[in-house]
Amino acid sequence: MNIIRRYLGKTALIGIILALFFLVGLRMLFLFMDDLPNVGKHQYTMPLALTYLFLHFPVFLYEFLPMGTLVGLMGALGLLASRNELTIVRAIGLSPSAIIMACGRMILPFVALIILVGEFMAPTATQWAQEIHRNAVSGGRIVASGKGLWAKDEDLFVYIGQVVRGVTREQSAVLNDVRLFQLDENFRVQGITLAKRATYQGNHQWRLVQVTNVAISEDKITRQPAIQQVWHSQLTPTNLDSADLQPDAMNILELYRFIDFLKLSQLDAGAYELAFWRKVFQPITIIVMMMLGGAMVFGSIRHVSVGVRLLSGVLIGLGFWTLNEIFGPFSLVYGISPFFGVLLPVGIIALLAHYRLSRLH
């Protein structure tokens, strides 16, 4: 019996690996086609484009893992069903739940490995990819936003014209055209600090250079220049780097810390909370997909071809992705907790899997 369980598990694992690499390869092809028009701009050459492409490989593995699990398991078990092997396995006493568990024991170590890659390797690789793309396409060091960056630092509203980017974090900790706005409780401007440049000194301190302090009262405006001064701030290069990153390019710990910073600054953290909860629910999503994939195969063991099963798996996976893309932004727009925006699609798939499995017993 153990030999049969190992055979089922290995077959399922091979199917998931093949499905996952096919889906990732297809996604990388689309990314390459989208990026191809940038080749030849400034220093952006074909080798850099290929580097940019393959640095996305870890994050795509992580993103497509639930769909790859569903499609691969349906394809592998469907192949066994088409050869009547699954019928024989059930005839010797293994229930559908036992077969799914046998597959799960072999699959889960691989899944855990991909999740670790997605948490510890994918964010760093994605950040490198973004840095390479920005620097090469722009022809050098570029800024976080052509329209500047706004932030809230305790009782100050901060405008940063340029976040200068380099290949190291120290180089990226230089801000150009910094403006600090101090408002009273009625949101009237009481003072403005203008600085040509700010350099991070560590310990939450920035050195402002070529400073002009503007004091605004009801009857006059006074200006006081200074060569330099120290600005104590909760903003750090890490926070500024995170503000320029897509939420999906951050690991779960970085997301948690940045969400905490945004909440302390009374800023909207919805998009980052959504990415955080998606990462938290990723293992549960994979288990649910595995249950659903097995349940869909056992529903009709002999009468459906492998191609139809694979197509069904892809359609169900796309349906789950669509639900994610609908309910996630929906929760942000209507002020619902992102936790429920992530939980609802997983819950729908879990109920479908439970319903299909309950009909088999």
Side-chain angles (χ1 to χ4, degrees), residues 18-283:
L18 292 175
L20 183 59
F21 276 79
F22 173 77
L23 293 170
V24 170
L26 197 61
R27 179 66 180 90
M28 291 180 69
L29 177 62
F30 290 148
L31 177 63
F32 179 71
M33 292 174 64
D34 288 339
D35 191 47
L36 199 57
N38 293 319
V39 176
K41 293 181 179 178
H42 298 284
Q43 288 90 25
Y44 197 59
T45 60
M46 182 60 74
L48 284 179
L50 293 176
T51 302
Y52 171 75
L53 178 68
F54 283 102
L55 283 173
H56 281 85
F57 182 74
V59 73
F60 288 157
L61 275 179
Y62 182 77
E63 288 178 358
F64 283 97
L65 186 56
M67 187 185 294
T69 301
L70 175 67
V71 175
L73 188 61
M74 288 187 68
L77 294 182
L79 181 63
L80 295 179
S82 67
R83 299 191 304 213
N84 294 323
E85 294 180 42
L86 212 54
T87 304
I88 297 172
V89 170
R90 292 198 63 183
I92 64 176
L94 283 181
S95 66
S97 298
I99 294 172
I100 295 173
M101 289 181 64
C103 295
R105 290 192 187 98
M106 187 70 67
I107 293 168
L108 287 181
F110 173 75
V111 168
L113 175 64
I114 300 301
I115 289 176
L116 290 175
V117 169
E119 281 300 308
F120 296 102
M121 184 184 296
T124 301
T126 304
Q127 292 173 30
W128 286 350
Q130 292 178 359
E131 203 68 43
I132 289 171
H133 195 270
R134 275 197 299 253
N135 290 337
V137 172
S138 67
R141 304 162 83 190
I142 72 169
V143 301
S145 171
K147 297 181 180 179
L149 177 69
W150 283 93
K152 189 174 184 294
D153 179 36
E154 296 182 347
D155 60 342
L156 294 176
F157 287 89
V158 182
Y159 173 80
I160 301 168
Q162 295 180 339
V163 181
V164 181
R165 295 290 172 187
V167 295
T168 66
R169 185 172 295 277
E170 288 74 15
Q171 289 177 315
S172 69
V174 177
L175 314 178
N176 290 332
D177 187 19
V178 179
R179 308 172 195 178
L180 312 179
F181 297 87
Q182 185 175 4
L183 281 63
D184 62 16
E185 58 185 12
N186 296 318
F187 297 100
R188 291 178 297 189
V189 179
Q190 289 185 320
I192 306 173
T193 299
L194 308 174
K196 184 175 182 180
R197 187 171 65 256
T199 305
Y200 191 65
Q201 304 296 297
N203 197 26
H204 294 280
Q205 294 185 5
W206 295 82
R207 182 168 59 88
L208 303 178
V209 179
Q210 298 184 28
V211 184
T212 301
N213 293 301
V214 181
I216 302 174
S217 61
E218 293 183 358
D219 55 346
K220 64 178 180 178
I221 298 176
T222 59
R223 300 168 63 91
Q224 183 178 358
I227 298 175
Q228 64 181 31
Q229 69 183 52
V230 175
W231 169 34
H232 297 274
S233 173
Q234 293 300 314
L235 293 174
T236 64
T238 300
N239 292 335
L240 293 172
D241 285 344
S242 297
D244 192 35
L245 289 175
Q246 295 295 326
D248 293 339
M250 303 167 67
N251 63 42
I252 196 166
L253 183 59
E254 290 173 335
L255 284 168
Y256 179 80
R257 290 174 176 171
F258 193 57
I259 290 168
D260 186 56
F261 164 74
L262 291 175
K263 288 184 175 179
L264 287 174
S265 302
Q266 298 180 351
L267 298 174
D268 181 27
Y272 296 91
E273 287 184 292
L274 184 62
F276 173 80
W277 286 115
R278 280 177 175 171
K279 287 180 178 291
V280 169
F281 276 97
Q282 182 81 329

